[in-house]
Amino acid sequence: MASVWMLLLLHSLFMCGLSLDTKLIKVYPKQHILGVFQASLGNEYAFDASAARDVCEHLGVTIASKAQVVESQKRGLETCRFGWIDEQIAVVPRIKVKSNCGNGQVGVILWRADVSRKFDVFCFNLTDFEIQNQAMTADQESTEKPITTTPKASASSPLIPISIPPALSHNPAPKDIEVERHLPMSGTPASFGVVPVAVLITVTFAVLLAVFLALYHFKINRRCRMFCDAERRQENIEVWEHCSKKDQQKTQEENDEENNNSNSRSSPDRD
């Protein structure tokens, strides 16, 4: 029992020492990431699992949980020192691979060490978390929603709303907008003034050529038909005249033959 009271007394003395010299506690990073930061005492590990929780409370915050450290690591928190968390596990958040930090792994590396082992501690500031979370939510909403502006009305034209895409919603310099308009990426609709004009000219020329060829073909065929019809008419006329002559000649011969027959018949009667 005496040993327990002795440990409690030593712990109280340790915390009193901390309260008397808070400048020795180092905080990293200065700008907390989603409310999470790492607290250490000098260059050596100094806190066991119990003392680590007391350090965060002494700083007016709470000890961070595993989920809070994971979310902070996703937002950029990276250290090379292990620290206690609320689940009494030592963790080190890593983004880049480094052989002497977290065994060369990335993510939130866990170390289920004995609670008496000394590490740093990860603390959580709820106020900083709420402020940063609201700021990130506002930035995300302003990025997702396009800004609609209305130009000044003129006497000759109605008001036309202009929708600015999210990529230009942070008030870029007019020079940047100009460059974006005058130097569009290849294959985008901004190249409408180059390729479609050439295609339009080619299509127009092809249509005019087709029309010209069609008219020329029609005229040639018409002349051929007229010439052929004239030849046919001429041949018909010649055939008709030839047949008429033959008919007239035949009729004349028949008449002459009848006259000769009639004369031969009338000659004996006269005798």
Side-chain angles (χ1 to χ4, degrees):
M1 187 69 180
S3 61
V4 173
W5 283 106
M6 183 63 68
L7 290 174
L8 291 175
L9 180 61
L10 291 174
H11 181 264
S12 299
L13 290 174
F14 175 74
M15 293 307 300
C16 290
L18 287 178
S19 62
L20 293 175
D21 194 4
T22 56
K23 294 181 179 181
L24 296 177
I25 299 177
K26 297 180 181 180
V27 174
Y28 175 83
K30 298 294 183 182
Q31 182 66 34
H32 307 163
I33 301 177
L34 288 182
V36 177
F37 62 93
Q38 186 180 37
S40 61
L41 186 63
N43 295 326
E44 301 293 333
Y45 289 137
F47 312 127
D48 59 18
S50 178
R53 190 181 301 273
D54 293 336
V55 168
C56 292
E57 293 177 357
H58 176 73
L59 295 175
V61 294
T62 60
I63 189 169
S65 65
K66 177 184 175 183
Q68 291 166 346
V69 175
V70 169
E71 290 300 320
S72 180
Q73 184 268 343
K74 292 179 181 178
R75 294 290 182 178
L77 178 64
E78 183 180 42
T79 70
C80 195
R81 294 168 62 92
F82 279 91
W84 288 107
I85 58 175
D86 187 38
E87 291 82 357
Q88 291 190 340
I89 301 173
V91 300
V92 55
R94 292 299 305 165
I95 297 175
K96 299 178 181 179
V97 177
K98 194 173 182 180
S99 59
N100 60 342
C101 295
N103 295 327
Q105 302 178 18
V106 294
V108 177
I109 295 91
L110 308 180
W111 186 354
R112 299 184 183 276
D114 188 87
V115 294
S116 62
R117 195 179 183 94
K118 293 182 179 181
F119 297 108
D120 294 338
V121 60
F122 287 98
C123 300
F124 177 72
N125 189 329
L126 179 60
T127 303
D128 286 350
F129 169 77
E130 291 177 348
I131 293 174
Q132 293 180 12
N133 191 34
Q134 290 177 0
M136 287 189 298
T137 303
D139 290 340
Q140 185 176 4
E141 290 179 353
S142 63
T143 302
E144 291 177 352
K145 294 181 180 180
I147 300 175
T148 304
T149 59
T150 305
K152 295 182 179 180
S154 60
S156 59
S157 61
L159 292 176
I160 303 175
I162 301 175
S163 180
I164 301 176
L168 302 178
S169 61
H170 296 289
N171 298 326
K175 184 181 295 184
D176 295 338
I177 298 177
E178 257 185 317
V179 172
E180 187 69 20
R181 288 179 180 174
H182 289 290
L183 297 176
M185 295 178 63
S186 61
T188 60
S191 61
F192 177 79
V194 179
V195 177
V197 170
V199 173
L200 182 61
I201 293 173
T202 304
V203 171
T204 304
F205 178 78
V207 171
L208 293 175
L209 182 60
V211 172
F212 174 79
L213 292 176
L215 292 174
Y216 179 79
H217 182 71
F218 175 77
K219 290 182 178 180
I220 294 297
N221 289 340
R222 185 176 180 184
R223 290 179 181 177
C224 290
R225 285 197 298 270
M226 292 176 63
F227 180 76
C228 293
D229 291 339
E231 287 185 346
R232 289 177 183 174
R233 285 196 297 270
Q234 184 64 31
E235 289 178 358
N236 292 334
I237 291 171
E238 291 177 357
V239 171
W240 181 78
E241 290 178 352
H242 181 69
C243 292
S244 297
K245 289 180 180 180
K246 283 185 176 182
D247 290 337
Q248 290 178 0
Q249 185 177 2
K250 186 176 180 181
T251 304
Q252 185 66 32
E253 289 177 354
E254 289 177 352
N255 291 333
D256 292 339
E257 186 176 356
E258 286 180 358
N259 291 330
N260 292 330
N261 291 333
S262 61
N263 291 332
S264 63
R265 288 175 184 173
S266 59
S267 352
D269 293 336
R270 289 180 184 177
D271 293 337

